[in-house]
Amino acid sequence: MIKKSRKVRDYKELTRALPTQTYLDPETVYIHLQNGRCKTYDLYVDEGDHVDFGEVIGVRHGGFFEQPIHATISGTIGKIGKKLHRTGRKVDCIEIKNDFKNTYHKTITDRPDHVIDKLDQDDMVEILKQKALVGLGGSGFPSYIKLATKETINHVVVNAVECEPYLSSDYRLILDRPEEVIMGLKYVMQALNCEHGMIAIKADKNPLYEVLTQVIERRYSDLNIEVVRLGNYYPQGWEIEVFKNALGIEVPHGELPMSYGVLGFNVSTTAGIYNAVKHNLPVVERYFTLTGDAINYPQNYRVRVGTSIQDLIRQSDGYKEDFDEVLVVMGGPMMGVSTVSDDVIVSKTTTSVIVLKNTEYKEEPCVRCGSCVYSCPAHLEPVQIMNAVKRNDKDQMKSLHADRCIECGLCAYVCTSKIHVTDYVRKAKRLIR
């Protein structure tokens, strides 16, 4: 049976209406020293050193950029160990033991508005670079590189669609702190000399529409910022889909949106830009969803970067039962990475962790129903790519444009045989890279 679908079951009701819980004083944080884009690093501190909140303690090295590493609490440097990153790999992490004094580093100082008003693009780019701001929706791409574009930008779009099921941290961030989002957008528009800003949300998110439009009308009516409501389907949050439906701008595969006069930022990134410019703050905390059917009280949290998920599970009154094994998904259920260990931490780019009862699904042979092909938003043939992977036929993988896959997970979701098709396509991308 052909099962064409762009609808996925939504579990946001588990957390969306609940007030955000604040957990900013963990006894220990663990800071990733490596990530998916930075394999090496240098440390400026040794075990036993004291560090302040927001202090630079090292630098990560990427292929063509560097990222300062910041302390997210004040306290004492501990040991270096291994923790799972949202990429699914164990990477080096450094431990910082909290002194609970919350001592700010001397660089953490507010900029007066009259100073901010005079900042140009180069100034803002340097601020984001020093504060190591990256795409907080999960991309991890350095924001200063994006902001440094020399293209003429006509539209800046804040992507607040949050189409992954289960996730509602962006939703709570907007309700709790709409002005940070709007001011972050204003700063980006100022840097790019852009006169049109847009915040894109899903059509059924009426509370977001009301809070954003009211704040804009009452306090920022001089800014040309509008709130647009987009479709209730998956993956509406795919940036290319957002630009197409919000602005009518179609960006072909392999081309950059900025070449078409449009630039997008995730909503958490936009709030991060506000804190970097206004308060000279790196990303030391984030809104985060902890949810799933295996824990007692799914919640949205405001937490320090580096907080242990095991700590947060205890804050949520632990597991419902003594499960022999739980499935831990880092990120959304459609695009995230799964593991059976809850020994993971909140990184800058970790939007959520979903803890589920570990139910085994038996894969059946492909029945050639075509559901994955009909549902693919990138117009690929996932089943044929899977067959090419099984044959190790790289030429066929290339001819099927496996590199164009956005890894949205829809092909696996609609598969009538419960085959993890997306995993095969991810493997094809790696093989032909």
Side-chain angles (χ1 to χ4, degrees), residues 145-195:
I145 295 176
K146 190 184 278 193
L147 193 67
T149 179
K150 298 304 177 187
E151 300 279 2
T152 299
I153 301 299
N154 303 310
H155 316 278
V156 176
V157 180
V158 176
N159 185 350
V161 173
E162 197 174 40
C163 64
E164 276 267 14
Y166 280 99
L167 275 62
S168 59
S169 55
D170 284 352
Y171 182 92
R172 294 305 317 180
L173 169 64
I174 293 173
L175 288 184
D176 294 351
R177 299 171 170 234
E179 297 202 40
E180 291 187 8
V181 177
I182 295 165
M183 289 300 290
L185 174 55
K186 177 189 174 185
Y187 293 160
V188 174
M189 293 167 65
Q190 176 182 327
L192 299 172
N193 196 26
C194 173
E195 296 185 353

Side-chain angles (χ1 to χ4, degrees), residues 97-116:
K97 298 173 184 175
N98 201 343
D99 63 7
F100 298 101
K101 295 179 180 176
N102 209 24
T103 308
Y104 279 44
H105 191 255
K106 59 185 178 184
T107 56
I108 311 301
T109 55
D110 280 4
R111 286 188 179 85
D113 289 343
H114 71 272
V115 173
I116 295 175

Side-chain angles (χ1 to χ4, degrees), residues 30-49:
Y30 305 87
I31 307 298
H32 286 123
L33 299 175
Q34 302 159 295
N35 58 35
R37 296 181 183 275
C38 302
K39 308 300 183 190
T40 61
Y41 61 87
D42 289 318
L43 264 184
Y44 304 155
V45 292
D46 295 315
E47 186 175 347
D49 286 353

Side-chain angles (χ1 to χ4, degrees), residues 171-400:
Y171 182 92
R172 294 305 317 180
L173 169 64
I174 293 173
L175 288 184
D176 294 351
R177 299 171 170 234
E179 297 202 40
E180 291 187 8
V181 177
I182 295 165
M183 289 300 290
L185 174 55
K186 177 189 174 185
Y187 293 160
V188 174
M189 293 167 65
Q190 176 182 327
L192 299 172
N193 196 26
C194 173
E195 296 185 353
H196 181 223
M198 179 178 282
I199 303 173
I201 62 173
K202 268 192 170 182
D204 62 349
K205 301 297 185 294
N206 288 328
L208 298 190
Y209 184 82
E210 290 175 9
V211 73
L212 286 168
T213 53
Q214 286 185 20
V215 173
I216 291 170
E217 287 172 5
R218 293 179 185 182
R219 303 200 61 177
Y220 302 101
S221 58
D222 58 318
L223 302 177
N224 184 18
I225 294 176
E226 61 178 319
V227 184
V228 293
R229 298 201 248 199
L230 303 180
N232 294 319
Y233 64 84
Y234 184 86
Q236 174 61 90
W238 178 25
E239 187 176 69
I240 301 304
E241 198 79 356
V242 171
F243 296 154
K244 176 183 172 183
N245 292 326
L247 294 162
I249 296 174
E250 296 198 38
V251 182
H253 173 78
E255 297 195 37
L256 296 173
M258 56 189 72
S259 300
Y260 291 77
V262 57
L263 205 57
F265 291 89
N266 166 266
V267 63
S268 293
T269 311
T270 313
I273 291 171
Y274 165 78
N275 283 307
V277 174
K278 179 63 182 174
H279 303 303
N280 212 30
L281 263 178
V283 182
V284 291
E285 63 180 56
R286 68 161 299 141
Y287 273 61
F288 177 81
T289 302
L290 177 64
T291 186
D293 61 5
I295 57 174
N296 276 310
Y297 294 108
Q299 296 272 4
N300 277 296
Y301 286 95
R302 182 178 157 221
V303 297
R304 294 286 184 220
V305 170
T307 300
S308 161
I309 296 301
Q310 291 172 337
D311 277 1
L312 294 181
I313 290 173
R314 282 191 286 272
Q315 294 293 318
S316 286
D317 278 7
Y319 295 118
K320 284 184 177 175
E321 305 168 29
D322 292 327
F323 296 116
D324 292 333
E325 196 173 79
V326 294
L327 181 68
V328 178
V329 181
M330 291 182 282
M334 302 297 286
M335 301 184 71
V337 175
S338 62
T339 173
V340 293
S341 171
D342 60 6
D343 186 18
V344 294
I345 59 175
V346 180
S347 72
K348 275 197 239 183
T349 55
T350 313
T351 56
S352 60
V353 160
I354 306 166
V355 188
L356 302 167
K357 300 173 186 175
N358 194 7
T359 305
E360 293 290 339
Y361 291 97
K362 183 182 177 183
E363 288 190 3
E364 302 290 341
C366 174
V367 296
R368 303 178 66 81
C369 67
S371 297
C372 60
V373 177
Y374 283 102
S375 300
C376 178
H379 307 296
L380 302 180
E381 298 178 52
V383 63
Q384 297 299 346
I385 295 171
M386 177 183 74
N387 291 334
V389 170
K390 289 180 176 178
R391 297 192 305 271
N392 197 28
D393 187 343
K394 294 182 182 178
D395 290 337
Q396 183 72 355
M397 295 177 216
K398 290 177 183 175
S399 68
L400 290 167

